[in-house]
PDB file of all heavy atoms in Angstrom:
ATOM      1  N   HIS A  77     -14.089  -0.734 -15.924  1.00  0.00           N
ATOM      2  CA  HIS A  77     -14.519  -1.273 -17.097  1.00  0.00           C
ATOM      3  C   HIS A  77     -14.857  -2.806 -16.869  1.00  0.00           C
ATOM      4  O   HIS A  77     -14.230  -3.340 -15.848  1.00  0.00           O
ATOM      5  CB  HIS A  77     -13.706  -1.152 -18.281  1.00  0.00           C
ATOM      6  CG  HIS A  77     -12.334  -1.722 -18.153  1.00  0.00           C
ATOM      7  ND1 HIS A  77     -11.314  -1.434 -17.218  1.00  0.00           N
ATOM      8  CD2 HIS A  77     -11.792  -2.758 -18.995  1.00  0.00           C
ATOM      9  CE1 HIS A  77     -10.320  -2.146 -17.409  1.00  0.00           C
ATOM     10  NE2 HIS A  77     -10.519  -2.918 -18.491  1.00  0.00           N
ATOM     11  N   HIS A  79     -13.815  -5.750 -17.765  1.00  0.00           N
ATOM     12  CA  HIS A  79     -12.947  -6.891 -17.957  1.00  0.00           C
ATOM     13  C   HIS A  79     -12.745  -7.584 -16.571  1.00  0.00           C
ATOM     14  O   HIS A  79     -12.765  -6.949 -15.592  1.00  0.00           O
ATOM     15  CB  HIS A  79     -11.554  -6.385 -18.443  1.00  0.00           C
ATOM     16  CG  HIS A  79     -11.557  -6.122 -20.041  1.00  0.00           C
ATOM     17  ND1 HIS A  79     -10.621  -5.320 -20.604  1.00  0.00           N
ATOM     18  CD2 HIS A  79     -12.394  -6.575 -20.958  1.00  0.00           C
ATOM     19  CE1 HIS A  79     -10.899  -5.201 -21.951  1.00  0.00           C
ATOM     20  NE2 HIS A  79     -11.891  -6.027 -22.127  1.00  0.00           N
ATOM     21  N   ASP A  81     -10.229  -8.817 -14.894  1.00  0.00           N
ATOM     22  CA  ASP A  81      -9.230  -8.436 -13.765  1.00  0.00           C
ATOM     23  C   ASP A  81      -9.771  -7.218 -13.100  1.00  0.00           C
ATOM     24  O   ASP A  81      -8.935  -6.708 -12.200  1.00  0.00           O
ATOM     25  CB  ASP A  81      -7.907  -8.359 -14.380  1.00  0.00           C
ATOM     26  CG  ASP A  81      -7.804  -7.483 -15.526  1.00  0.00           C
ATOM     27  OD1 ASP A  81      -8.901  -7.435 -16.296  1.00  0.00           O
ATOM     28  OD2 ASP A  81      -6.695  -6.969 -15.855  1.00  0.00           O
ATOM     29  N   HIS A  82     -10.873  -6.632 -13.414  1.00  0.00           N
ATOM     30  CA  HIS A  82     -11.299  -5.416 -12.707  1.00  0.00           C
ATOM     31  C   HIS A  82     -12.641  -5.684 -11.865  1.00  0.00           C
ATOM     32  O   HIS A  82     -13.008  -5.020 -10.863  1.00  0.00           O
ATOM     33  CB  HIS A  82     -11.436  -4.254 -13.658  1.00  0.00           C
ATOM     34  CG  HIS A  82     -10.193  -4.036 -14.374  1.00  0.00           C
ATOM     35  ND1 HIS A  82      -9.153  -3.249 -13.789  1.00  0.00           N
ATOM     36  CD2 HIS A  82      -9.590  -4.619 -15.471  1.00  0.00           C
ATOM     37  CE1 HIS A  82      -8.048  -3.316 -14.611  1.00  0.00           C
ATOM     38  NE2 HIS A  82      -8.353  -4.130 -15.597  1.00  0.00           N
ATOM     39  N   HIS A 183     -10.193   0.580 -25.403  1.00  0.00           N
ATOM     40  CA  HIS A 183      -9.793  -0.705 -24.888  1.00  0.00           C
ATOM     41  C   HIS A 183     -10.961  -1.672 -24.630  1.00  0.00           C
ATOM     42  O   HIS A 183     -10.910  -2.842 -24.888  1.00  0.00           O
ATOM     43  CB  HIS A 183      -8.925  -0.406 -23.648  1.00  0.00           C
ATOM     44  CG  HIS A 183      -8.656  -1.649 -22.783  1.00  0.00           C
ATOM     45  ND1 HIS A 183      -7.726  -2.596 -23.137  1.00  0.00           N
ATOM     46  CD2 HIS A 183      -9.115  -2.082 -21.655  1.00  0.00           C
ATOM     47  CE1 HIS A 183      -7.728  -3.580 -22.242  1.00  0.00           C
ATOM     48  NE2 HIS A 183      -8.686  -3.180 -21.249  1.00  0.00           N
ATOM     49  N   CYS A 184     -11.980  -1.096 -24.010  1.00  0.00           N
ATOM     50  CA  CYS A 184     -13.283  -1.809 -23.761  1.00  0.00           C
ATOM     51  C   CYS A 184     -14.383  -0.674 -23.958  1.00  0.00           C
ATOM     52  O   CYS A 184     -14.198   0.401 -23.534  1.00  0.00           O
ATOM     53  CB  CYS A 184     -13.150  -2.306 -22.386  1.00  0.00           C
ATOM     54  SG  CYS A 184     -14.637  -3.298 -21.824  1.00  0.00           S
ATOM     55  N   HIS A 187     -15.529   1.579 -20.875  1.00  0.00           N
ATOM     56  CA  HIS A 187     -14.483   2.067 -20.028  1.00  0.00           C
ATOM     57  C   HIS A 187     -14.725   3.442 -19.615  1.00  0.00           C
ATOM     58  O   HIS A 187     -15.164   4.269 -20.293  1.00  0.00           O
ATOM     59  CB  HIS A 187     -13.183   2.019 -20.799  1.00  0.00           C
ATOM     60  CG  HIS A 187     -11.887   1.808 -19.850  1.00  0.00           C
ATOM     61  ND1 HIS A 187     -11.717   2.644 -18.850  1.00  0.00           N
ATOM     62  CD2 HIS A 187     -10.963   0.886 -19.695  1.00  0.00           C
ATOM     63  CE1 HIS A 187     -10.567   2.252 -18.154  1.00  0.00           C
ATOM     64  NE2 HIS A 187     -10.186   1.242 -18.741  1.00  0.00           N
ATOM     65  N   ASP A 202      -7.429   0.808 -17.596  1.00  0.00           N
ATOM     66  CA  ASP A 202      -6.429   0.204 -18.442  1.00  0.00           C
ATOM     67  C   ASP A 202      -6.006   1.034 -19.663  1.00  0.00           C
ATOM     68  O   ASP A 202      -5.198   0.677 -20.589  1.00  0.00           O
ATOM     69  CB  ASP A 202      -7.019  -1.136 -18.990  1.00  0.00           C
ATOM     70  CG  ASP A 202      -6.745  -2.333 -18.133  1.00  0.00           C
ATOM     71  OD1 ASP A 202      -6.169  -2.056 -17.076  1.00  0.00           O
ATOM     72  OD2 ASP A 202      -7.265  -3.449 -18.408  1.00  0.00           O
ATOM     73  N   THR A 210      -1.669  -0.591 -23.868  1.00  0.00           N
ATOM     74  CA  THR A 210      -2.874  -1.359 -23.528  1.00  0.00           C
ATOM     75  C   THR A 210      -3.195  -2.349 -24.653  1.00  0.00           C
ATOM     76  O   THR A 210      -3.001  -2.189 -25.741  1.00  0.00           O
ATOM     77  CB  THR A 210      -4.060  -0.414 -23.220  1.00  0.00           C
ATOM     78  OG1 THR A 210      -5.123  -1.130 -22.619  1.00  0.00           O
ATOM     79  CG2 THR A 210      -4.721   0.143 -24.530  1.00  0.00           C
ATOM     80  N   HIS A 242      -2.713  -0.881 -13.876  1.00  0.00           N
ATOM     81  CA  HIS A 242      -1.607  -1.821 -13.802  1.00  0.00           C
ATOM     82  C   HIS A 242      -0.404  -0.977 -13.734  1.00  0.00           C
ATOM     83  O   HIS A 242      -0.244  -0.048 -14.596  1.00  0.00           O
ATOM     84  CB  HIS A 242      -1.591  -2.830 -14.903  1.00  0.00           C
ATOM     85  CG  HIS A 242      -2.806  -3.523 -15.146  1.00  0.00           C
ATOM     86  ND1 HIS A 242      -3.073  -4.711 -14.171  1.00  0.00           N
ATOM     87  CD2 HIS A 242      -3.819  -3.583 -15.980  1.00  0.00           C
ATOM     88  CE1 HIS A 242      -4.278  -5.213 -14.582  1.00  0.00           C
ATOM     89  NE2 HIS A 242      -4.769  -4.486 -15.665  1.00  0.00           N
TER      90      HIS A 242
HETATM   91 ZN1  LIG B   1      -9.058  -4.277 -19.431  1.00  0.00          ZN
END
Side-chain angles (χ1 to χ4, degrees):
H77 64 297
H79 278 162
D81 50 334
H82 305 273
H183 165 73
C184 184
H187 210 303
D202 277 356
T210 196
H242 306 284

